[in-house]
Amino acid sequence: MHLVRLGAEPTEVGADIRAAIAAWGAGRSVLGGVTVFGCRPPGSPRPLDAVIVLPRGVIVVLGVDLPEPALKLDAPVGTPWTVDGWPLVRTEGKVNPAQEGLESAAALARSLQTRGLEPLPVAAVVAVGPYVGQVMQPTTDLHRGVRVVSPNTTSILSAARELATYESPCGAAPALSLLRVLGAEATGEALVEEGFPESPEVDLSSIDTMLIPKYSEDRPVDHERVAAESRTFPRAKLLAAVAAVAVVCALLGVLTLGSPSASPPDLAVQRVDGVEFTRHAIDQGTACGPNAYGDVQRWFQQQSCRSLRRGAFEARLGTSSVAVSIAAVDLADPRSATELRGLLESAGTGGISDLVAQGLSWPGAPRDFGDAAQSVEQRGSQVRVVQAVWSQRASIPDDLELRAMAERGLRLDV
């Protein structure tokens, strides 16, 4: 583990967190990666004690100072915590530190996504000190990507191994860009030593070209080999021709996929942070006003849009199904996009109609997207709004699981 310290820890338990991670030592023999101490990423609701950047995930670490040591801590995400049977009273911030951890993770994920960086999942570890004998978390909360632990080497290491499980590792070059967002620097050599794979350019001169042998003028002629090849020439010629056609088709496929007029890839199933989203429908057009309602519709009557793309997706969280509605609006300029984003983020101003409200259905589909958790994002002159609801049970806008699914929906392609 490579360590970078930007500033003082924002909590007293931060010193224990730093000592616990420093004990892993340099190199990848224990875990690898880079830890940045005392940073505040863009959009983070509070300073973070540490951000652990691993080849297969990013983990924000928040420290929580308890008034005194505790024997047992009940730490659910949705309700206040209890310490040895007594409520943990908070005078500011969220109802409990776990919610702050999830918000910090979501804020960092948005910062990385809007900058087009490696799509690594961002999870949260809440380190509680000075001492807690036993931490109790509901099983459903563990699937949300948050761990509440004591600030010691073993517990933080175990949490990091459980949370950083992305399907493909982040390379050294993208990791450098990610660290710059955190305000930290490192060398490519240091990152390779910490387990981030290199991404060398392909050396075409080293490729073994089986069909095109290298020519050498002073190469001696093997007459017996030439005679043998001449006897098998028809078969060899046929194999070479088939292989050559395959190579040409592959090259044409690459060129075609890279051209603007190519057909888009199949996006029926997409994966974000390990969650699979199945697309049920997609709609593309330029009629924004007729597909909006409330103040948003009246806004579109004064402003034109270039295009509107909408999609409906479904995903599984444990044994429950979540429906996700996405609308991506392309506008004339960033100023118009900022106005629309502000309107969509305000309560009671209407919105963009989802496909279910306009008649779309599938087995297990929700009746509507009322009381959905919503996330809005602006990318230049484009505005995206994502809604998430439970398919078969009641939803509330502040549901943390649904809010996390709405955040993931911002990274889906429609």
Side-chain angles (χ1 to χ4, degrees):
M1 177 63 66
H2 181 74
L3 308 179
V4 179
R5 189 176 184 184
L6 297 181
E9 293 82 8
T11 61
E12 294 183 8
V13 76
D16 296 327
I17 296 172
R18 178 162 49 88
I21 297 176
W24 300 348
R28 70 182 78 176
S29 59
V30 175
L31 187 64
V34 179
T35 297
V36 183
F37 296 103
C39 65
R40 186 168 187 170
S44 178
R46 55 161 285 184
L48 304 176
D49 290 81
V51 176
I52 306 174
V53 181
L54 300 167
R56 295 184 183 272
V58 179
I59 301 170
V60 300
V61 183
L62 290 84
V64 176
D65 296 320
L66 296 179
E68 57 186 14
L71 296 177
K72 182 180 178 181
L73 171 66
D74 289 292
V77 169
T79 58
W81 290 2
T82 58
V83 181
D84 291 336
W86 293 88
L88 178 63
V89 179
R90 310 194 80 204
T91 58
E92 59 182 14
K94 295 294 181 180
V95 67
N96 62 55
Q99 291 190 2
E100 292 181 354
L102 287 174
E103 285 205 355
S104 298
L108 179 55
R110 284 195 301 269
S111 294
L112 301 180
Q113 192 272 335
T114 55
R115 289 166 172 79
L117 298 180
E118 195 78 6
L120 290 175
V122 183
V125 168
V126 181
V128 183
Y131 170 82
V132 176
Q134 184 182 21
V135 177
M136 303 296 295
Q137 278 189 271
T139 302
T140 54
D141 288 353
L142 297 177
H143 296 298
R144 300 185 182 187
V146 60
R147 298 290 187 274
V148 182
V149 301
S150 296
N152 58 64
T153 299
T154 302
S155 60
I156 298 179
L157 177 62
S158 298
R161 283 176 168 163
E162 291 176 5
L163 296 171
T165 57
Y166 191 57
E167 54 193 5
S168 59
C170 174
L176 283 174
S177 300
L178 194 157
L179 288 172
R180 292 190 185 102
V181 174
L182 302 176
E185 291 289 345
T187 64
E189 293 77 6
L191 294 182
V192 171
E193 292 177 357
E194 295 295 339
F196 295 91
E198 290 183 283
S199 301
E201 295 183 356
V202 178
D203 183 4
L204 296 178
S205 63
S206 65
I207 296 178
D208 183 12
T209 54
M210 296 180 61
L211 298 177
I212 310 175
K214 295 180 180 179
Y215 175 76
S216 175
E217 291 185 353
D218 54 358
R219 179 180 175 183
V221 179
D222 186 344
H223 296 282
E224 293 183 1
R225 180 181 59 81
V226 172
E229 289 180 354
S230 64
R231 291 192 295 270
T232 59
F233 178 76
R235 179 173 179 271
K237 183 177 180 180
L238 177 62
L239 291 176
V242 172
V245 170
V247 171
V248 171
C249 290
L251 290 174
L252 289 175
V254 172
L255 293 174
T256 302
L257 289 175
S259 65
S261 60
S263 300
D266 184 11
L267 301 174
V269 178
Q270 301 178 48
R271 179 183 290 268
V272 179
D273 294 351
V275 178
E276 286 192 349
F277 291 80
T278 301
R279 189 182 68 195
H280 287 287
I282 190 170
D283 178 78
Q284 300 186 44
T286 58
C288 292
N291 291 304
Y293 58 94
D295 293 340
V296 174
Q297 185 181 55
R298 287 189 285 274
W299 186 87
F300 277 124
Q301 292 172 354
Q302 305 297 325
Q303 304 283 342
S304 62
C305 75
R306 292 180 174 177
S307 67
L308 170 63
R309 299 189 305 279
R310 294 179 294 168
F313 294 78
E314 184 180 24
R316 303 289 300 182
L317 278 184
T319 59
S320 300
S321 174
V322 177
V324 176
S325 171
I326 303 175
V329 184
D330 290 307
L331 298 161
D333 51 67
R335 181 189 58 80
S336 300
T338 302
E339 290 182 6
L340 178 59
R341 185 197 68 197
L343 199 59
L344 290 169
E345 289 178 335
S346 302
T349 57
I352 299 174
S353 301
D354 59 85
L355 296 178
V356 170
Q358 296 184 343
L360 173 67
S361 183
W362 64 86
R367 291 183 300 176
D368 54 49
F369 277 84
D371 295 324
Q374 178 174 288
S375 184
V376 182
E377 179 186 69
Q378 178 183 353
R379 306 177 185 176
S381 59
Q382 183 187 92
V383 176
R384 287 191 171 214
V385 55
V386 180
Q387 295 178 295
V389 296
W390 297 108
S391 298
Q392 302 299 319
R393 54 188 171 101
S395 305
I396 57 174
D398 292 333
D399 188 305
L400 290 175
E401 284 185 302
L402 292 180
R403 288 174 61 182
M405 293 296 284
E407 294 285 346
R408 293 186 177 104
L410 293 171
R411 288 180 272 166
L412 292 173
D413 291 316
V414 291

